[in-house]
Amino acid sequence: MGKRFLLKPLLAGLLILALLMAGCAGDDGATGVAGSPGVDGQDGAAGTPGPVGVGLNTPAIQTLTVDNLVFGKDAGGFITASFDVTDGTSAVTGLTTADSTIYLAGLVPGTAATGSDEWQYWTGVDDTALVEGPAGTYLLTSNKLDSDAPVSTTTQRGIVRMGKTGFNTVVSSYDFDIADPATAVAAGKDVVNDASCKECHGFGVTIHSYGRNDTKTCVVCHSPNYNADIAAHEADMVTMVHQIHTNKADILGALHVSGHGENWPTLAYPGTILNCAKCHNTVAQADNWKTKPTMVACNSCHTTITFDGTAYEGIKSTLALPVAGTLHTETDNSSCVFCHNSTKTAADHTPAANDDASQRLVEAVINDVVVDVDGGVTVSFSVTEDGVAKTGVTTSGTSFTLAKLVPSTAVTPSFWQSYLSKARTKDAAKAPVIQGRTEAAGDGGLLTDNGDGTYTYKFKLLNAETFNLDATGDIRTITHAHNNSADTMGIYGATALPTLAYAVPYEPTLTHRVAISLTGIKTNTFLDFVPDGVTVAETRNIVSRDACNKCHGDSRLHAGFALEYCVGCHTQNSYDPFSGPADLGVLATTDAAPAGSSSVELERIIHKIHMGKDLEKGFVLNGTHDYSNMQYPSGVPSDNRTPKASDCKVCHDESNAAMTEADFWRYGTRACGSCHDGDVATAHIDANTAEGRASCVLCHAPGKLAPVEEAHYGIQ
């Protein structure tokens, strides 16, 4: 019974299974909904490390440090040197004779006939032995005996030079008495402050691939007896440096043609060459230039002088002082001081006032700037001269700038826009372009002397469409630019085309700047303000004139002494007068003033001028000023020890608290294309810029894929 009941269900199940199997030949039906993802499995074992990749930027070159340098001599009389080498924190081990060199010079005492003491080079050889004691401590033994020192010399200078792959080459000096090398002595002759050289040259001069970057080292080799192939005094320090800095290096003969200084003759000293104290200061013999004149030193700059009594070409006009027509018949230096004493020599080398702030005694302070209800702009300022209130300032030599700061956005940096623009061309075939300008007080503005050293000046605003009852312009109606082109420019001359349309909207909520220049002013003064009276919210203080002074001294550069004055004209919308479009034909005053093809915005021209010979496209400014062969004096050693003109920090000094935007160089901006002007770089910039908006910061900001700082200095 029970068996019959179990058999029926079994037969039914087999029947159903047969039917299901028969269905396999039919349609599969729609795919079902995917199930939820399962739980992640455990990580697998780490794979084999891949090869080391090459980054976008190379590592920064590290700096060796030589400490505790002491010279001596061994039992055989051979000169030795002991020292420690670190990377700044840790000992550097494993150095060999291939990494080290020793140089020696003796100081030959001067006489009345020879003038000052002179270093005399007597060896520059790889050491014969370099033994490491404790880690990073070395004893170097040369192949020179103490008896090899130049005759009549007691004071010696020893130089140890260390170089190692991946590190900057470093030199260290030590002055000693040949009788007792282990005892250091005061420097026998130091006429140049090395720190002054480095203000302009940074880590060191580019010669020798930065391998000799200290003047104490330079004079050891560059002494009068440099080598047998070069004439006496031709490559000594005084002749070589003076002639390089005065554009006379093309007469250096064997030194020049031996491969050094391919562009020395085209260099331009950035300050005034009369400022001898720029280099000659603070060290023991810094005043030698005026207290111990020599024929060699004088002739290194004044190359027209002859000392054989047969000819004379003067330094100033045709007069030889103190008596006109005096011939230089001297055969030695014993009588130089009779005419050229320290007082006269210093007076003869006094820079002009525009190159010497100590002679410029006028100072000004802008106290306030007000934009009145009629759009008139009045600046109140006070003036002193040598600390005393100055009255009698006139329109002569008095000028002002007036600009607004167009704010930055997430993808565009801020820029200055002048309210005082003009139009100008210097090429009759090209249309006038917009340029920033200063307003001279003689343009018709109202200068008022209050009689107590305080003044007011109300801007004329020639570019305004509307003028007030006192004939001054309304800043709210800047609609055009006056054409300052010479009438020799034909259809583009000022008579044929007096103005062009160029509107600059007045925006009272933005930061504005007024700067002033006066006759005899020490430096231009300025004031940032917001016309509607609120606190200045945005500034653009990127480079201070203090940074420029490292190389340029306090000379007037073009028309100003302060960059805050310069940016009033050299704005983003200001163009080279030779760069206008050539296909516009006759223009009317209703036509918009065209843009040029070459902006003279300050950041662009400064970068290009300083990049000079390292530009791919070169740079010519104002038609004839060709900066394509300029050599930037400060650079950064690269991984192959060749200099790169990339030491941004020389100018962009972030330690200066007043330069609130000094770190802008760390972010990719429109300034980058000023230096990186090649086709590839330009294409890259263009591809990542749309409607003036650049995406540089996505890759080039700090911490991104290719930070600007790493590209210029290496991976820190």
Side-chain angles (χ1 to χ4, degrees), residues 398-554:
T398 302
S399 61
F400 301 84
T401 64
L402 174 61
K404 66 179 179 180
L405 183 63
V406 178
S408 61
T409 69
V411 289
T412 59
S414 60
F415 63 92
W416 291 104
Q417 170 67 64
S418 175
Y419 286 103
L420 308 174
S421 300
K422 64 184 177 185
R424 185 169 62 156
T425 183
K426 291 186 178 182
D427 185 337
K430 296 180 179 180
V433 295
I434 284 295
Q435 292 188 309
R437 66 179 287 268
T438 59
E439 177 170 309
D443 286 348
L446 304 178
L447 178 65
T448 302
D449 184 346
N450 298 321
D452 59 357
T454 64
Y455 300 80
T456 60
Y457 178 75
K458 191 172 184 182
F459 280 85
K460 175 65 177 179
L461 295 178
L462 291 169
N463 298 5
E465 185 71 21
T466 303
F467 289 86
N468 299 307
L469 293 177
D470 59 6
T472 61
D474 182 344
I475 194 173
R476 299 169 299 182
T477 64
I478 303 298
T479 59
H480 60 276
H482 285 263
N483 184 9
N484 286 18
S485 303
D487 284 337
T488 54
M489 297 298 107
I491 60 172
Y492 296 135
T495 299
L497 186 66
T499 63
L500 283 165
Y502 188 71
V504 179
Y506 172 58
E507 299 178 87
T509 60
L510 300 185
T511 298
H512 285 57
R513 174 174 289 173
V514 166
I516 185 172
S517 183
L518 301 169
T519 299
I521 198 167
K522 186 178 291 292
T523 189
N524 309 108
T525 189
F526 71 98
L527 180 69
D528 288 350
F529 67 101
V530 176
D532 70 1
V534 301
T535 303
V536 172
E538 183 164 5
T539 57
R540 185 176 172 84
N541 299 312
I542 295 176
V543 174
S544 166
R545 179 57 201 263
D546 292 341
C548 303
N549 289 359
K550 295 172 185 177
C551 291
H552 293 283
D554 46 29

Side-chain angles (χ1 to χ4, degrees), residues 12-43:
L14 291 172
L15 177 63
I16 292 171
L17 179 61
L19 292 172
L20 289 174
M21 293 297 290
C24 290
D27 188 356
D28 288 343
T31 303
V33 177
S36 300
V39 178
D40 289 344
Q42 294 183 346
D43 292 338

Side-chain angles (χ1 to χ4, degrees), residues 410-413 664 666-673 684-690 692-702 704-708:
V411 289
T412 59
F664 272 19
R666 296 176 180 274
Y667 302 83
T669 70
R670 63 177 183 271
C672 299
H684 172 75
I685 294 170
D686 291 345
N688 289 278
T689 304
R693 300 170 181 269
S695 57
C696 312
V697 294
L698 297 179
C699 294
H700 300 297
K704 301 297 184 179
L705 177 66
V708 173

